[in-house]
Amino acid sequence: MNDKVAIAVFISGGGSNLQAIMDACENGTIPGQVVLVVSNKKKAYGLVRANSAGIDAVVHKRKRFPSGDEADQHLLDILKDHSVEMIATAGFLQMLPPAIVRAYQGRVLNIHPALLPKYGG
């Protein structure tokens, strides 16, 4: 994918921060490309934004898996399948699983102003 960093953006809502990231990638302010959007909410408008931009998007709910480890591995597999190099949490109202944080140590940027889990959005 040339010299642009492949970015996954984790969202839970409208995706205004996602849009700002996509716009900054498009105009060259961020030397990256959003290749995946992950949401924990199927009605998040950010999924519509991703779809409109031709970006793959998935809804990932941990409770759909028999165990947290299986949910984490599934998410890691999705990130790997998209060659994700960096994660941006942009209004994602869940804590990232430790397995994801370990796998992307030093490559996760939280731009959400909330202090989870105590002070969500």
Side-chain angles (χ1 to χ4, degrees):
M1 178 178 63
N2 63 39
D3 58 347
K4 292 187 175 187
V5 174
I7 303 168
V9 181
F10 284 52
I11 64 162
S12 291
S16 58
N17 287 323
L18 164 64
Q19 187 66 56
I21 292 169
M22 292 187 310
D23 292 346
C25 288
E26 182 69 27
N27 71 28
T29 302
I30 294 175
Q33 178 179 358
V34 178
V35 297
L36 178 67
V37 173
V38 177
S39 178
N40 62 317
K41 296 185 179 189
K42 68 180 181 179
K43 293 185 179 182
Y45 185 73
L47 296 170
V48 174
R49 291 179 192 266
N51 186 41
S52 294
I55 297 169
D56 287 346
V58 297
V59 176
H60 188 268
K61 292 189 173 272
R62 292 177 63 84
K63 66 182 179 183
R64 291 187 184 158
F65 295 86
S67 73
D69 288 344
E70 290 178 77
D72 296 350
Q73 188 57 56
H74 182 258
L75 185 52
L76 282 168
D77 290 344
I78 292 169
L79 294 169
K80 182 179 178 183
D81 289 346
H82 286 81
S83 301
V84 170
E85 298 171 90
M86 179 181 178
I87 295 172
T89 58
F92 188 59
L93 296 178
Q94 282 190 337
M95 290 176 45
L96 287 179
I100 303 297
V101 174
R102 279 191 301 275
Y104 287 87
Q105 186 171 359
R107 298 178 291 144
V108 177
L109 177 64
N110 179 11
I111 64 169
H112 191 276
L115 298 173
L116 297 174
K118 191 172 182 179
Y119 303 104

